[in-house]
Amino acid sequence: MWRTYFPKGRIYGIDIFDKSRHDERRIKTFKGSQADDVFLKQVLETTGTPDIIIDDGSHLNEHVIHTFKVLFPVLRDQGIYVIEDTQTSYWKRYGGSSEEFNRPDTSMGYLKSLTDGLNHTEFENRTEAPTYLEQHISEIHFYHNLVFIYKK
């Protein structure tokens, strides 16, 4: 699918299973876990700075949040970070909750907590410096089971 959607792009994938059968001239897959910092850094050494990151990985809330924290800072300026299948924020077996919608350890709870940061320059009586994410997120778009985060 991504081959067709990005006809001129270099496409890199990560999976815990061997998906090298999908490799071709401009597509390469890496076998490893999105929750493994060392692995992610090795992938980035090979791929360089990404323009777009699409997280369609394990869907475990802790993995989604961890991967965002590791990869968003290395996304190029004006890049786009996409998280698919955010419905797992409400599924207990993925670390989600259907009772507490704003839990910061769920993907949606964490992402919703970033929205106030879009307006951090308007905070009155704030003494601490803005966070990295407050300074670098320009937009967040929520859709059904899908979130787009744009980098300044």
Side-chain angles (χ1 to χ4, degrees), residues 31-126:
K31 184 177 182 237
S33 171
Q34 74 181 91
D36 181 343
D37 290 0
V38 173
F39 168 71
L40 291 175
K41 287 180 178 144
Q42 290 170 341
V43 169
L44 289 167
E45 287 172 9
T46 301
T47 65
T49 304
D51 298 321
I52 299 172
I53 297 171
I54 302 171
D55 182 343
D56 189 18
S58 74
H59 309 310
L60 292 170
N61 285 269
E62 66 180 296
H63 288 179
V64 172
I65 294 167
H66 177 81
T67 306
F68 177 78
K69 288 178 178 179
V70 171
L71 294 182
F72 186 80
V74 300
L75 180 67
R76 81 160 169 85
D77 291 347
Q78 299 178 343
I80 304 170
Y81 197 104
V82 181
I83 301 172
E84 296 187 352
D85 300 311
T86 55
Q87 71 272 17
T88 61
S89 288
Y90 311 105
W91 297 350
K92 193 175 206 171
R93 69 184 179 274
Y94 284 87
S97 173
S98 289
E99 289 88 36
E100 299 175 65
F101 297 130
N102 294 317
R103 273 186 20 201
D105 63 335
T106 67
S107 303
M108 287 299 290
Y110 175 76
L111 295 168
K112 287 188 285 187
S113 77
L114 300 177
T115 59
D116 285 325
L118 295 170
N119 300 306
H120 75 274
T121 57
E122 314 307 327
F123 297 171
E124 294 182 326
N125 304 318
R126 182 174 183 174

